[in-house]
Amino acid sequence: MHTQRKIIHLDMDCFYAAVEMRERPELAGQPIAVGGGSRRGVVTTCNYEARKFGVHSAMPGFQARERCPNLVFLPVRFDLYRAASTQIRQILLSYTPLVEPLSLDEAYLDVTGLDRYAWDIAKEIRKRIFEETRLTSSAGIAPNKMLAKIASDWRKPNGQFAITPDQVEAFVRDLPVRKIWGVGPKSAEKFEQQGIRTCGDLQKIELSELVRRHGKWGQELHQLCRGMDDRPVEPNRIRKSLSNECTYLDNLTTLEDCQRELDKLVEELEQELRAKAADRTIHKALVKVKFADFTRTTRECISGHPTRETYRALLAEAHKRSPQPIRLLGAGVRFSEEMEEPVDSAQQLLTLAQAPD
């Protein structure tokens, strides 16, 4: 007989900003943004006081300042956040070894094997995190990962919400389709144009039709819109890549403009690599470009130690692909498999076919 899973999604509340506020109590009650203070900087995260003004992560710093003139910008301090994250991770592991970190500030826990209510476990974990770190968190409890992640956002900040197995059918019926795992803004917009706004709307479409429209993803959509998600919590899941990207308010029209913006992305990527993957071996560097007509291309090269010049060379190749202005840039790395030998800095350009978004 299949055992019903009990999954908790634990999500720290505005984590970087909360850590900064803990370290600087004199800033209590003030709107705070972490990152974005430089001329071309981008907000990494912000506290809830700043969010009341419409400030959010990935927003250009100048725009955040326009919305909130009293916004306090603080530099990113990954070492501080990583230390807090490690402390929180140890608390989670004291309850179950089945902990799957998603980032420094969130993780899944499978507590199916514990002879306690998942609600009580989540409440106790959140209490301990606050007592030991002075940071608040939110939790979602559900029979699977997708619903648990959705639930953790339901009572933010500093709250928790549960979706029991007998509530799943009613809960997902009115759930906006954009909440489904894997549905991004562009896909949600396409669904909206088709009159599909909720999971209930999507449930009315036959499986065969979903597969015809969306291929293999159509099968997943058929299950996900019904609240079905069989993905296990994977404590040893290895990140295969790390990247960041930015969509620009005004299209970039010259290679020089793109290079300046890419340099900023590469600097942020290097910070993330130090924080999240300092012990991983890099295999490839990659640059992603999306043009004004929404076509996109990716250029990669084998490189164990990619530099700014590495990414600029990839960008120059990608830039030749279209005369269109550029609306999005991305920079990233792919990591070596564990059994592979570390690669040196020799570079071999590889081309991926240009494809529509």
Side-chain angles (χ1 to χ4, degrees):
M1 181 178 177
H2 176 68
T3 302
Q4 184 70 64
R5 283 178 178 149
K6 297 186 294 184
I7 307 297
I8 298 172
H9 179 255
L10 193 286
D11 194 8
M12 301 304 297
D13 299 325
C14 55
F15 184 53
Y16 296 176
V19 173
E20 294 291 351
M21 292 165 66
R22 181 190 67 182
E23 299 299 307
R24 309 183 193 202
E26 71 275 9
L27 296 178
Q30 297 185 49
I32 294 170
V34 177
S38 62
R39 188 171 66 87
R40 286 180 172 267
V42 176
V43 174
T44 301
T45 190
C46 60
N47 64 359
Y48 289 99
E49 285 80 1
R51 295 181 190 189
K52 293 175 183 177
F53 291 87
V55 179
H56 56 77
S57 60
M59 173 179 284
F62 76 88
Q63 187 176 346
R65 189 176 284 106
E66 288 176 353
R67 296 192 178 190
C68 183
N70 296 323
L71 188 62
V72 177
F73 287 95
L74 300 174
V76 179
R77 298 194 286 176
F78 277 119
D79 289 346
L80 194 62
Y81 316 143
R82 187 164 59 244
S85 179
T86 299
Q87 190 177 1
I88 293 163
R89 190 77 43 79
Q90 292 307 309
I91 294 174
L92 304 184
L93 288 170
S94 70
Y95 288 84
T96 173
L98 298 178
V99 176
E100 179 183 334
L102 298 180
S103 61
L104 290 179
D105 62 343
E106 62 176 319
Y108 288 115
L109 296 81
D110 187 331
V111 296
T112 308
L114 302 184
D115 190 23
R116 296 178 58 190
Y117 288 116
W119 178 272
D120 294 339
I121 296 172
K123 189 173 182 180
E124 184 176 304
I125 287 173
R126 292 177 47 245
K127 182 174 182 289
R128 279 190 58 189
I129 289 174
F130 182 74
E131 290 175 345
E132 297 180 30
T133 71
R134 309 313 295 174
L135 301 171
T136 65
S137 58
S138 298
I141 304 102
N144 60 55
K145 291 167 74 172
M146 181 188 76
L147 292 177
K149 186 171 176 64
I150 292 171
S152 67
D153 199 41
W154 229 250
R155 293 287 184 266
K156 264 190 169 291
N158 196 26
Q160 62 185 57
F161 183 74
I163 305 168
T164 60
D166 61 316
Q167 295 172 336
V168 170
E169 183 178 350
F171 180 84
V172 299
R173 188 182 301 122
D174 297 323
L175 188 70
V177 72
R178 67 177 181 275
K179 295 286 188 179
I180 295 179
W181 176 70
V183 176
K186 194 165 183 60
S187 297
E189 182 181 342
K190 290 180 179 178
F191 282 131
E192 176 75 24
Q193 292 170 355
Q194 300 169 34
I196 301 171
R197 299 176 179 85
T198 67
C199 288
D201 294 331
L202 199 55
Q203 290 173 14
K204 298 174 184 177
I205 303 176
E206 296 289 339
L207 173 59
S208 58
E209 180 61 17
L210 284 174
V211 172
R212 187 189 70 80
R213 295 184 190 180
H214 305 285
K216 183 179 178 181
W217 190 44
Q219 295 180 337
E220 295 182 25
L221 283 173
H222 187 263
Q223 289 190 311
L224 294 173
C225 73
R226 290 167 171 78
M228 300 165 61
D229 176 14
D230 292 330
R231 292 174 299 150
V233 171
E234 300 178 284
N236 299 315
R237 182 171 64 91
I238 298 176
R239 182 192 292 270
K240 296 181 179 179
S241 63
L242 183 67
S243 63
N244 58 7
E245 62 185 41
C246 181
T247 300
Y248 299 97
L249 297 176
D250 298 311
N251 291 337
L252 307 176
T253 57
T254 69
L255 178 59
E256 290 72 23
D257 288 341
C258 293
Q259 287 175 334
R260 283 194 294 270
E261 293 300 322
L262 183 68
D263 287 348
K264 181 180 67 177
L265 288 173
V266 170
E267 182 178 350
E268 292 173 356
L269 176 65
E270 290 171 345
Q271 290 180 332
E272 280 201 279
L273 284 169
R274 288 193 292 270
K276 299 180 180 179
D279 58 341
R280 299 296 303 278
T281 299
I282 296 172
H283 179 47
K284 294 179 181 178
L286 64 94
V287 167
K288 174 182 175 182
V289 175
K290 186 180 291 185
F291 298 99
D293 61 358
F294 287 92
T295 57
R296 63 185 178 185
T297 189
T298 304
R299 294 289 292 187
E300 297 186 355
C301 71
I302 295 175
S303 178
H305 304 282
T307 64
R308 179 175 299 183
E309 287 68 34
T310 306
Y311 288 99
R312 282 194 167 201
L314 292 172
L315 173 64
E317 292 291 325
H319 190 267
K320 297 175 183 177
R321 287 285 187 95
S322 172
Q324 292 279 337
I326 290 173
R327 71 188 311 270
L328 176 147
L329 286 175
V333 297
R334 300 192 194 281
F335 297 115
S336 296
E337 297 296 332
E338 296 304 311
M339 69 289 295
E340 290 181 348
E341 292 295 322
V343 296
D344 58 27
S345 58
Q347 299 178 2
Q348 175 186 353
L349 287 176
L350 303 172
T351 304
L352 297 182
Q354 189 171 10
D357 185 31

